[in-house]
Amino acid sequence: IYMLVLFVLDLNGVERSGDVCELFVAFRSADSKLVTMQLDDRMPLTNLQTTIELAQQGCQIIASHIKQEVNKI
């Protein structure tokens, strides 16, 4: 799925087919506070902060689109 020309969901499973760890995050849209996080494998600590920041940006994009669609109703 593309939102504003940004890839936000792996529909064909390319990432899952490789040897990568998965990071699941949830942020509150009201204040962007981290609610929960689950890392399924090891990740270098130096990459973790950047990965969380990218995930937060993705969550903000999705929350923005959801708000736009809700406001249309």
Side-chain angles (χ1 to χ4, degrees):
I1 294 176
Y2 290 88
M3 291 187 175
L4 301 174
V5 192
L6 294 174
F7 182 73
V8 294
L9 181 61
D10 179 26
L11 291 176
N12 58 8
V14 172
E15 279 81 13
R16 285 188 174 237
S17 64
D19 186 25
V20 296
C21 60
E22 293 180 348
L23 174 66
F24 299 93
V25 295
F27 291 91
R28 285 192 310 216
S29 61
D31 57 7
S32 295
K33 295 284 184 179
L34 182 65
V35 175
T36 187
M37 178 176 75
Q38 176 183 339
L39 185 60
D40 286 348
D41 202 351
R42 292 178 183 231
M43 175 184 285
L45 193 55
T46 55
N47 296 345
L48 185 60
Q49 183 63 35
T50 302
T51 305
I52 292 171
E53 289 170 2
L54 288 172
Q56 184 178 23
Q57 291 173 10
C59 288
Q60 289 171 342
I61 290 169
I62 292 170
S64 173
H65 283 279
I66 290 171
K67 287 177 186 175
Q68 288 175 1
E69 293 300 316
V70 168
N71 289 335
K72 288 180 183 179
I73 298 176

